[in-house]
């Protein structure tokens, strides 16, 4: 690879490819395993490779890819428990899944549902509920400084105990950057 004879390989793609066969082996239903293999091969891996060509893959991107596979697997198992299949499920099933699961699960399942509809693994007429994006307005400078002052001076705010050695910049004063000795207890 360093000489340019072999193509560069992304370690996070390799990690995903090493993880996938074990995950597939743990899926009891062979049809579910086949569907997940197709999803990984034709949706997840091409996305990871395209991303690697544009920039680099971070551990969080790799983790998201694995979670998409895990939630797709969970969704297929959930459909099985409801006595339906990917080919037969309907809008009521999507609504039930989205009602029963947190936003984290819903976000990770979207790619699978879109892939399944586009690839005609299920009905194309289904609608995936819109994502709820809620963003608070940014704090004004005065609000930010007031909150910061309260955090620095209010003794009623519970602080998480941690030894100075466990924090980044341990032993350095957080404001001045000067060294200080931890207080003896």
């Amino acid at each position: 690879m360093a000489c340019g004879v072999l193509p560069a390989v992304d370690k996070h793609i390799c990690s995903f490819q090493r993880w996938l066969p074990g995950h597939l082996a743990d899926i009891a239903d062979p049809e579910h395993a086949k569907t997940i293999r197709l999803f990984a091969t034709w949706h997840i891996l091409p996305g990871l490779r395209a991303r690697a060509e544009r920039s680099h893959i971070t551990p969080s991107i790799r983790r998201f890819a694995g979670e998409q596979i895990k939630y797709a697997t969970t969704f297929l198992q959930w459909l099985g428990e409801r006595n339906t299949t990917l080919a037969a499920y309907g809008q009521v099933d999507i609504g039930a899944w989205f009602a029963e699961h947190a936003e984290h699960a819903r976000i990770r399942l979207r790619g699978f549902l879109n892939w399944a509809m586009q690839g005609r693994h299920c009905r194309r007429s289904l609608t995936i509920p819109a994502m709820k994006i809620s963003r608070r307005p940014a704090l004004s400078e005065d609000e930010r400084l007031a909150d910061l002052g309260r955090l620095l001076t209010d003794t009623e705010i519970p602080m998480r105990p941690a030894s100075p050695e466990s924090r980044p910049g341990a032993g350095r004063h957080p404001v001045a950057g000067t060294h200080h000795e931890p207080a003896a207890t």
Side-chain angles (χ1 to χ4, degrees):
M1 288 186 294
C3 296
V5 176
L6 296 174
V9 177
D10 186 281
K11 67 180 181 179
H12 296 296
I13 293 176
C14 290
S15 166
F16 180 82
Q17 290 175 313
R18 281 191 311 270
W19 168 80
L20 184 61
H23 177 77
L24 293 171
D26 291 340
I27 300 173
D29 186 318
E31 281 301 310
H32 292 177
K34 178 183 172 185
T35 302
I36 296 300
R37 182 179 296 108
L38 289 171
F39 175 57
T41 302
W42 298 107
H43 183 75
I44 300 295
L45 279 168
L48 288 174
R49 289 184 184 117
R51 175 65 182 252
E53 287 178 15
R54 287 191 315 270
S55 61
H56 68 282
I57 296 177
T58 62
S60 64
I61 292 170
R62 159 55 181 96
R63 189 170 37 256
F64 185 81
E67 288 176 351
Q68 285 184 294
I69 296 293
K70 290 176 186 177
Y71 279 101
T73 303
T74 301
F75 179 70
L76 292 175
Q77 292 168 343
W78 181 84
L79 288 175
E81 292 166 6
R82 292 173 63 93
N83 295 317
T84 192
T85 63
L86 185 60
Y89 83 102
Q91 195 65 49
V92 171
D93 297 305
I94 290 179
W97 168 272
F98 274 64
E100 292 175 19
H101 292 82
E103 189 70 17
H104 181 85
R106 296 189 298 255
I107 289 170
R108 271 115 186 108
L109 186 64
R110 293 180 80 76
F112 177 73
L113 294 176
N114 283 321
W115 169 83
M117 286 188 282
Q118 291 170 358
R120 299 186 189 275
H121 299 281
C122 64
R123 288 185 240 151
R124 294 183 66 153
S125 62
L126 299 171
T127 302
I128 300 171
M131 289 186 355
K132 295 177 185 170
I133 299 174
S134 58
R135 296 186 187 206
R136 293 180 18 185
L139 294 176
S140 70
E141 183 73 10
D142 291 337
E143 291 171 319
R144 188 178 63 78
L145 290 174
D147 285 349
L148 183 58
R150 189 173 54 79
L151 287 170
L152 293 172
T153 59
D154 190 343
T155 58
E156 299 298 315
I157 297 175
M159 295 296 197
R160 188 175 63 206
S163 67
E165 293 78 25
S166 68
R167 295 187 307 258
R172 312 268 310 157
H173 190 276
V175 176
T178 59
H179 185 75
H180 74 282
E181 293 299 321
T185 54

